[in-house]
Amino acid sequence: MKYIFVTGGVVSSLGKGLTAAALGTLLENRGLKVTLQKFDPYLNVDPGTMNPYQHGEVYVLDDGAETDLDLGHYERFTNVKLTRVNNLTSGQVYQTVLDKERRGDYLGKTVQVIPHITDEIKNRIHQLAEQSKADVVITEIGGTTGDIEGLPFLEAIREFALEVGYNNAIFMHVTYVPFIKAAGELKTKPTQQSVAKLREIGIAPHILVCRCERPLDKDLRHKISLFCNIPYEAVIEEKDVDHSIYEVPLMLQRERVDDLVCRLLHLDAPAPNMAHWQEIIRKLIAPQHRVRIGVVGKYIELNDAYKSVYEAIIHGGVANDCGVEIQKVDAETIEREGPEKILKGLGGILVPGGFGERGIEGKIMAAKYARENKVPYLGLCLGMQIATIEFARNVLKLDKAHSTEFDPGTPHPVIALLDDQKKVTKKGGTMRLGAQPAQLVVGSKVAHLYGAFVVNERHRHRYEFNNAYRDRFAKADFVFSGTSPDGKLVEVIELANHPFFIASQFHPEFHSKPHKPHPLFRGFIAAAHAHTHRKAL
């Protein structure tokens, strides 16, 4: 078993997760079995109760774990199926240690950060290694080197590498080499300071990945090598990509990172064949077609809030050899200015998931615009509930129809709380979470897109379609094209007399990859391109 630990320095948001995922891609394509893990130093047990502005999207796994969005990068770039063991927070560590202390597991010993907290962190690495049976475990340490909350994790991986032996564990440090415009040059001092801080902790990086806006010349690499005590060939340039994050594996391959990793870890693996990945990049850089998609949300200012949605849209474009321009639409802007002005000219409209009342009416207006103007529509989770509310109000004429989440006193609660959610008081980890089966209706658009009649998709919600209204909707060509196997829960809806109007209670974006685009996104982009082409004729 081999281990790679990815740390970061200078500033946050450098792309440690992308770097780890891209390395995983290269090693997988060498025939190695890889798994990836994220350690987050914050004290929340998981990001499930955190505001998207604080943390970005919550990425949900098949087993229902609410995790960091970097796990989305891991699954999109590789073929690995992650579980809750692949994400660890300080909150989980301290909660576990304190539970053990209360039970008396430590036999009266004083409980301390070292060894009890660090041992718990090391145990999680061993647990993942044993569970995954992988050849290589890549573990990313969140935060920035020098942060107080991250110190136990750095101490733990220092100890772990010592225990497993230095032929079996390496450290990859991602740092920043800024370009100072006034001086007209790249500066290495922040990187030097970051590596010095890491060495103070007892970790000497084997590989230094330098994020930069401009290329690193030979003199700069030699300088970094000398002052950071790292071999010249282990100073890796990771320049900002021109077109897509999916260029990163090819960039690292050009820098021979995978060769270096295999040599350091004594791995005998053939060079990767990245032809399929190069074809993905070709379709992203020079697609045969173009389409414009509007994403109507409430966290539009923050790109990470809908990260998986945006990526799945791009994957749908790859499947259709179609370049996608994503227009981010603030739902509150639609409320102020009307849908016609904002949504006119779009090839398709997507309403993603979300919580809270803000922007709801704007999203309902967007769904109405898509339905009435035959614009392809894809609703995800809340997006399905929005489509239901709009249809109830404007087609079934159920005045003031709403979800009880936003209007508990609505006379027509077409979306209501799940029965098993009514007594829930705690917010964290208590929603309907994880992969669950859905039975698709024979002859439906959704079944045709999937090419299957039973699918497993990931959920994250508390509210559902209210079955008391199912007959009224069905009589008006509102098709329930997917339900839970027992038929009690509505999972997918579509409109019979519309080119493409599909919405799911689940989150299909979590199962999409650039090399395996999700069927719903593939079909949505195909319909959006057809709609755009029809308008142009």
Side-chain angles (χ1 to χ4, degrees):
M1 189 76 70
K2 306 293 183 178
Y3 303 89
I4 302 170
F5 296 103
V6 181
T7 58
V10 184
V11 294
S12 59
S13 302
L14 276 180
K16 297 188 300 297
L18 277 173
T19 302
L23 177 59
T25 303
L26 293 174
L27 296 179
E28 261 197 356
N29 281 277
R30 280 177 171 263
L32 297 167
K33 185 178 181 183
V34 175
T35 190
L36 297 101
Q37 185 176 44
K38 176 72 183 289
F39 288 166
D40 279 307
Y42 53 74
L43 282 171
N44 303 67
V45 172
D46 61 44
T49 57
M50 295 168 72
N51 189 304
Y53 287 118
Q54 287 275 314
H55 192 264
E57 87 174 353
V58 175
Y59 188 80
V60 180
L61 305 180
D62 277 358
D63 65 359
E66 295 175 286
T67 69
D68 182 79
L69 60 81
D70 276 318
L71 275 78
H73 293 316
Y74 303 164
E75 286 202 330
R76 282 189 286 272
F77 276 74
T78 69
N79 294 307
V80 66
K81 277 284 186 184
L82 305 177
T83 70
R84 61 182 69 252
V85 177
N86 296 78
N87 195 194
L88 181 69
T89 69
S90 288
Q92 292 173 26
V93 174
Y94 281 93
Q95 188 176 61
T96 301
V97 169
L98 291 173
D99 286 346
K100 287 181 177 180
E101 187 274 333
R102 291 289 83 187
R103 289 197 305 266
D105 292 5
Y106 298 118
L107 300 175
K109 292 178 182 177
T110 301
V111 179
Q112 297 175 292
V113 173
I114 302 172
H116 301 98
I117 296 299
T118 50
D119 281 354
E120 198 61 44
I121 295 168
K122 290 187 289 183
N123 287 342
R124 181 58 73 91
I125 305 172
H126 285 300
Q127 184 182 353
L128 177 62
E130 184 176 338
Q131 177 181 298
S132 67
K133 307 298 182 187
D135 299 309
V136 181
V137 177
I138 303 174
T139 302
E140 175 196 351
I141 313 301
T144 307
T145 298
D147 293 345
I148 291 174
E149 59 266 30
L151 292 177
F153 288 96
L154 295 175
E155 171 60 20
I157 63 173
R158 184 197 68 79
E159 294 175 12
F160 189 93
L162 184 66
E163 292 165 9
V164 299
Y166 288 114
N167 289 334
N168 297 317
I170 60 171
F171 297 101
M172 176 183 286
H173 191 56
V174 183
T175 185
Y176 184 47
V177 182
F179 178 77
I180 306 300
K181 191 174 180 181
E185 61 182 354
L186 292 164
K187 291 293 186 180
T188 67
K189 190 62 71 178
T191 292
Q192 294 176 43
Q193 295 289 343
S194 177
V195 171
K197 193 70 180 175
L198 199 59
R199 290 168 69 186
E200 281 178 23
I201 297 164
I203 295 173
H206 298 83
I207 300 171
L208 195 59
V209 178
C210 300
R211 285 297 315 278
C212 49
E213 300 171 39
R214 308 288 180 92
L216 301 178
D217 59 31
K218 287 185 178 180
D219 289 342
L220 213 61
R221 291 198 197 213
H222 275 299
K223 184 178 181 181
I224 293 171
S225 169
L226 179 64
F227 285 97
C228 294
N229 197 37
I230 290 172
Y232 176 83
E233 66 271 17
V235 179
I236 306 300
E237 175 189 290
E238 191 176 59
K239 196 167 74 70
D240 294 349
V241 293
D242 296 322
H243 301 281
S244 167
I245 59 173
Y246 300 113
E247 296 176 66
V248 177
L250 300 178
M251 179 192 298
L252 293 182
Q253 186 185 33
R254 287 194 296 272
E255 290 284 303
R256 304 179 69 86
V257 172
D258 51 320
D259 289 339
L260 181 58
V261 166
C262 288
R263 189 164 71 250
L264 288 168
L265 291 175
H266 302 280
L267 288 165
D268 184 14
N273 181 357
M274 299 296 288
H276 66 295
W277 209 265
Q278 290 167 343
E279 178 62 11
I280 290 169
I281 301 304
R282 196 279 301 164
K283 290 179 179 178
L284 289 169
I285 295 174
Q288 297 296 308
H289 314 288
R290 295 278 178 184
V291 70
R292 194 154 59 99
I293 300 296
V295 176
V296 182
K298 62 185 286 188
Y299 309 115
I300 290 301
E301 312 94 280
L302 183 67
N303 192 59
D304 282 350
Y306 301 117
K307 187 65 178 174
S308 292
V309 173
Y310 295 147
E311 295 305 317
I313 291 171
I314 291 168
H315 304 163
V318 169
N320 290 279
D321 206 348
C322 189
V324 181
E325 177 190 343
I326 298 175
Q327 181 173 318
K328 301 171 184 178
V329 181
D330 190 325
E332 291 180 288
T333 303
I334 295 178
E335 293 174 0
R336 291 191 301 270
E337 301 182 20
E340 291 80 7
K341 179 181 177 181
I342 307 299
L343 302 177
K344 187 176 181 181
L346 292 174
I349 295 169
L350 185 149
V351 176
F355 299 89
E357 190 176 359
R358 183 169 64 85
I360 290 298
E361 293 302 323
K363 295 176 185 179
I364 292 171
M365 291 178 188
K368 181 182 179 185
Y369 180 88
R371 179 179 58 80
E372 292 182 341
N373 292 279
K374 305 296 184 183
V375 179
Y377 176 91
L378 181 61
L380 311 176
C381 195
L382 177 62
M384 189 197 96
Q385 298 174 6
I386 289 295
T388 301
I389 295 165
E390 187 282 319
F391 196 89
R393 289 182 185 179
N394 300 307
V395 178
L396 301 183
K397 306 302 179 184
L398 300 177
D399 189 38
K400 297 183 180 179
H402 221 314
S403 165
T404 55
E405 179 182 3
F406 312 121
D407 181 7
T410 174
H412 294 293
V414 292
I415 302 295
L417 199 63
L418 283 164
D419 287 340
D420 60 3
Q421 289 285 327
K422 290 178 180 177
K423 296 180 181 179
V424 171
T425 55
K426 293 183 179 179
K427 293 190 181 299
T430 57
M431 288 184 275
R432 185 182 175 202
L433 291 165
Q436 298 180 31
Q439 184 79 40
L440 306 183
V441 173
V442 176
S444 65
K445 288 189 181 78
V446 170
H448 174 72
L449 289 171
Y450 274 102
F453 299 119
V454 178
V455 296
N456 275 280
E457 295 284 5
R458 298 176 184 178
H459 291 254
R460 185 175 185 256
H461 61 98
R462 297 186 193 278
Y463 293 78
E464 298 275 359
F465 184 93
N466 188 342
N467 286 326
Y469 291 86
R470 197 184 284 197
D471 288 344
R472 273 189 269 190
F473 275 82
K475 290 175 182 176
D477 292 328
F478 190 92
V479 181
F480 301 101
S481 49
T483 64
S484 56
D486 60 9
K488 293 180 179 179
L489 300 176
V490 174
E491 300 284 36
V492 196
I493 64 95
E494 59 188 64
L495 298 185
N497 299 313
H498 194 287
F500 190 101
F501 195 105
I502 292 173
S504 66
Q505 186 58 76
F506 49 74
H507 288 270
E509 67 271 24
F510 292 147
H511 274 157
S512 190
K513 302 172 186 283
H515 49 292
K516 294 178 184 176
H518 192 282
L520 294 188
F521 284 90
R522 184 179 65 234
F524 175 55
I525 298 302
H529 173 252
H531 176 74
T532 302
H533 183 66
R534 281 196 302 270
K535 288 194 301 179
L537 294 177

